[in-house]
Amino acid sequence: MRKEIFAVLVLLLLLGGTYLFKGGGEKSGNDNTNPPDQMTGVIQVTGLVEKPYNVTYEGLSKLPSREVNAPLYCVGAPGKVLKNGTWKGVPLKTLLELAKPTGGAFKVALYASDGYTTDFYFDTVMREEDIIVAYEFNGKPITPRVVAPNRWGYKWIKGLTRIELVSYDFKGTWESSGYPDDARITGDSSPGR
Ligand SMILES: Nc1nc2c(c(=O)[nH]1)N[C@H]1C(S)=C(S)[C@@H](COP(=O)(O)O)O[C@H]1N2
Ligand SMILES: [Mo]
């Protein structure tokens, strides 16, 4: 009887060992076989700053991060949640502070690889640390994008390439065509323009 228990224990240890061995390898458990493109991109932080710099998409994940739960809504289908879950990323505020703003900034202009742009008021970004540049969604890597809780999807710029502090009233793709600059979601209806 004791022998049998011993045999079972040995078997369990062997199985456990195999499992751990397989699980201990590099990148195991990450079945990211089809990574989002531009995982090797760069974000420029520039404009009214003392120390402009570039951060690679990989470098982002080494900066102080924060997790934010927020649903994504598009003005085109206001009642429908497009994406919902946990976004992990670096506060836009942190990225700006690393560049040492010189003062005189009014807007944060944001540019993407497809030519899309959006913007935030500098004040808003410095006040709301839940506005992040996310590089993970529900534990999976994504091409860095802005997550702006309680704001319409047009603020959630994807494939970010440039963050620029400017003194003037920069308006992004949707904002310049008349959509509200603050993009705040107030009810379940889209903003007029
Ligand atoms: N680069 C880029 N980012 C973008 C857009 C775009 O056209 N290009 N569209 C925005 C709009 S209007 C919405 S509603 C959301 C949609 O996000 P999704 O594609 O992840 O669903 O992305 C936003 N970010
Ligand atoms: Mo949208």
Side-chain angles (χ1 to χ4, degrees):
M1 191 61 190
R2 289 182 65 177
K3 250 192 209 165
E4 279 146 56
I5 290 170
F6 185 69
V8 167
L9 279 176
V10 167
L11 197 67
L12 283 175
L13 279 172
L14 281 172
L15 286 171
T18 310
Y19 180 75
L20 284 175
F21 183 71
K22 273 182 151 177
E26 233 179 287
K27 294 261 174 194
S28 66
N30 176 3
D31 55 0
N32 182 26
T33 50
N34 185 21
D37 46 17
Q38 303 161 36
M39 287 303 281
T40 53
V42 172
I43 301 170
Q44 265 183 281
V45 184
T46 180
L48 298 172
V49 297
E50 260 173 54
K51 296 184 186 311
Y53 68 96
N54 290 346
V55 59
T56 61
Y57 283 3
E58 220 203 316
L60 264 189
S61 62
K62 284 160 190 138
L63 295 174
S65 67
R66 176 172 186 101
E67 287 190 1
V68 172
N69 289 301
L72 165 57
Y73 292 97
C74 176
V75 286
K80 193 172 157 222
V81 177
L82 291 190
K83 292 197 165 98
N84 196 10
T86 305
W87 307 88
K88 182 179 180 185
V90 184
L92 201 43
K93 177 185 181 181
T94 304
L95 291 171
L96 290 175
E97 279 174 343
L98 286 170
K100 301 200 183 305
T102 53
F106 179 58
K107 282 280 188 82
V108 183
L110 301 165
Y111 303 79
S113 53
D114 61 351
Y116 186 84
T117 58
T118 190
D119 62 85
F120 287 92
Y121 289 98
F122 179 60
D123 282 1
T124 305
V125 168
M126 297 313 272
R127 202 173 46 230
E128 293 189 38
E129 292 187 50
D130 278 354
I131 300 174
I132 61 173
V133 176
Y135 53 81
E136 241 181 65
F137 176 51
N138 291 333
K140 299 231 169 71
I142 55 167
T143 298
R145 78 172 313 161
V146 166
V147 164
N150 309 310
R151 305 307 201 293
W152 291 106
Y154 58 89
K155 293 291 177 187
W156 297 44
I157 187 171
K158 302 183 282 190
L160 194 60
T161 54
R162 189 144 70 107
I163 300 169
E164 186 185 18
L165 272 187
V166 300
S167 62
Y168 62 98
D169 193 11
F170 178 95
K171 286 188 196 296
T173 306
W174 285 65
E175 295 85 352
S176 61
S177 78
Y179 281 88
D181 221 348
D182 76 342
R184 237 176 220 293
I185 301 173
T186 48
D188 60 358
S189 64
S190 303
R193 60 166 180 140

